[in-house]
Amino acid sequence: MPRRPSNLLGAFAVAVDDAVRDALTRTLHLDHTAAAALLVVRERPGRPIGDLAASLDLTHSGAVRTVNRLADKDLLERGAGPDGRSRGLTLTPAGREATERALEARGQLLDELLGTLSASQQEAFVAGLEVLLARMPHTQQEAWRICRTCEHDACRGVDCPVGSAIRARLAGTSAPAAVSDGPPAPCAGCS
């Protein structure tokens, strides 16, 4: 099989990752790990540092250092955790406002990039992305990492190929998990 398609995919992945990192760090005036940490806490408030570490693929001590830096900047705070023993993380009002600006910058960048494609090209591209993304996560932690900088309001329930895939894997099925007619279910990145 020719390597050109694989090579183009790899180059595209690196270019998009670099562009998103730049948009987040430039908007927030933070390093990428801290920026991603804020977005994870936004989507999963009250969760302990251990979950943040898993979402960012950090050691526990690395996550603690990141949390300390963000708390010192009054962007997040520690509160009661879900099990009563751990400390849960939540955004401060300044942290919430910062993540809104970050997601806007990320969205604008990606919208402009997609805008270079025709409508039919976008449709085909999105269909391919859904297939590829559904193959990526094998564990809940991998799903969290994939979705760490996502704008979760744009991609929930069965609309999230990562969340649908991991829910199906955890349920032992190959089909996406059903979603109720109620409020949109969170994707695997925030559940």
Side-chain angles (χ1 to χ4, degrees), residues 14 46 57 88 113 122 143 154 161 164:
V14 169
D57 199 22
L113 182 61
Q122 284 185 33
S164 294

Side-chain angles (χ1 to χ4, degrees), residues 15-173:
V16 170
D17 184 56
D18 287 349
V20 168
R21 283 174 182 258
D22 290 348
L24 294 176
T25 58
R26 187 175 48 253
T27 300
L28 295 175
H29 307 288
L30 297 169
D31 64 78
H32 178 68
T33 300
L38 281 180
L39 293 173
V40 168
V41 172
R42 173 192 172 102
E43 207 49 48
R44 303 179 65 233
R47 302 298 300 194
I49 289 178
D51 284 1
L52 179 66
S55 298
L56 301 176
D57 199 22
L58 295 174
T59 63
H60 185 79
S61 61
V64 167
R65 286 189 299 274
T66 299
V67 166
N68 288 342
R69 287 194 321 268
L70 293 169
D72 288 347
K73 294 179 182 290
D74 193 37
L75 296 171
L76 66 76
E77 56 196 6
R78 296 170 186 88
D83 61 8
R85 295 175 301 159
S86 60
R87 305 280 290 162
L89 305 173
T90 56
L91 296 178
T92 64
R96 172 65 88 182
E97 190 273 329
T99 59
E100 289 170 9
R101 287 186 293 110
L103 288 174
E104 179 60 32
R106 176 189 175 276
Q108 185 175 1
L109 166 82
L110 296 173
D111 287 346
E112 287 174 10
L113 182 61
L114 283 172
T116 62
L117 300 175
S118 70
S120 62
Q121 288 172 322
Q122 284 185 33
E123 190 174 306
F125 185 65
V126 168
L129 287 174
E130 289 172 339
V131 170
L132 294 172
L133 283 168
R135 294 185 51 99
M136 300 296 291
H138 296 286
T139 67
Q140 183 74 56
Q141 290 77 17
E142 288 176 0
W144 290 343
R145 282 192 294 276
I146 291 168
C147 295
R148 70 185 175 269
T149 64
C150 284
E151 183 176 349
H152 293 268
D153 290 339
C155 188
R156 291 226 183 254
V158 294
D159 287 338
C160 176
V162 174
S164 294
I166 200 63
R167 279 193 301 278
R169 281 190 182 90
L170 293 173
T173 65

